[in-house]
Every structure is written in C-alpha cells, then in structure tokens.
Amino acid sequence: MKKETDCNRGIVERVADGEMTVAVGNGGGSCDGCSLGRVCGLSGETRFSLKNEGGFKAGDRVRLMPSEGSRYVAALLLGGIPVLLLVATAAAASLAGLDEDLTALACVVAGGFYFVMLRLFGRRVDRSVRWRVEKICD
C-alpha cells in the first residue's frame, strides 16, 4: 500500500465460525497519518469483528489497512462533499440576493449541519469501511 502509517496494528483475540476479533490499540501512534483517522474515530483500544479470510489464529499480530475504495470514500466525505456543499450554498444564497454576511452565515450553517449529520451517522460510515488484514512476521 502506501506507507506503514496507513494502518493499525492489532492482535487477533478470538477466532470462531470464520470470524475473528482483532484488538487494536492506537497508543503507539498507529493512527498517525491514516487517511481514515477522522472517520474511524479510534480511541483507546478498539475491537474489530472481521471475516477470517487469511486463516489467522488467536494471538497472531496483524496489520489492518483500509481498502483503496474506503480511502476514496473518506476523502469524499471529509473533503469533496463539504466543498461542493459550501459552493452550492454560496451560489444559492447569491442567487437569492442575500448580502455577503448572510451568505457567509448560510455557508457556516450548512457546513456545520453536514458535519453534525456525518457525526450522527458515523457508525453507519464505520461499518462501510473495508479492511485488508496482513500478518506481521516478527
């Protein structure tokens, strides 16, 4: 992938029925530089339930990396859509004949509303992130 900081390191805690639970602690700076960091919202130790497609066993040290598609979605959610929303709000306010102060206020309100909604629906976004899992060979 890109660089090693675009991943989270964890330990497989449990494997059962084709699923595995991976404990990821971000205390070691594993979230630094991650393109999904703002959407992911890892804090402290987090557990992921993932399909065990690589034959991992309990105790294996693994690296979790967001898929390329998940990175694009994160960029769109955190950059693309807010910019388009601000431009559209400014254009609509300008066409409605609002002065500059009210146009700026409308943009701030629209942007704030977008990020509040993104935060409220954050769990749904979290579930849409697809992770690649690789074993760390020490």
Side-chain angles (χ1 to χ4, degrees):
M1 196 120 231
K2 295 195 181 201
K3 54 187 174 191
E4 195 166 303
T5 57
D6 285 347
C7 65
N8 294 292
R9 295 172 185 264
I11 297 174
V12 177
E13 286 188 331
R14 188 176 68 82
V15 176
D17 301 325
E19 301 256 328
M20 64 181 175
T21 302
V22 179
V24 176
N26 65 355
S30 62
C31 293
D32 296 342
C34 178
S35 59
L36 294 178
R38 296 190 59 136
V39 176
C40 181
L42 286 177
S43 62
E45 186 166 276
T46 303
R47 285 172 174 68
F48 289 95
S49 293
L50 305 167
K51 289 184 180 179
N52 187 2
E53 297 173 344
F56 299 102
K57 296 176 273 195
D60 284 350
R61 294 171 42 102
V62 295
R63 179 180 298 132
L64 286 95
M65 294 170 286
S67 68
E68 203 65 30
S70 294
R71 289 171 183 235
Y72 292 132
V73 169
L76 185 66
L77 288 173
L78 296 172
I81 292 175
V83 167
L84 291 175
L85 179 65
L86 292 176
V87 169
T89 302
S94 179
L95 289 174
L98 296 179
D99 65 357
E100 291 177 1
D101 294 337
L102 289 177
T103 299
L105 179 62
C107 288
V108 168
V109 168
F113 177 76
Y114 173 77
F115 282 107
V116 166
M117 296 306 292
L118 186 61
R119 189 69 177 162
L120 290 175
F121 291 103
R123 290 289 159 212
R124 182 172 287 175
V125 173
D126 288 348
R127 286 191 300 265
S128 71
V129 174
R130 300 292 172 233
W131 295 96
R132 285 187 352 178
V133 182
E134 295 176 356
K135 186 172 182 177
I136 298 173
C137 298
D138 290 329

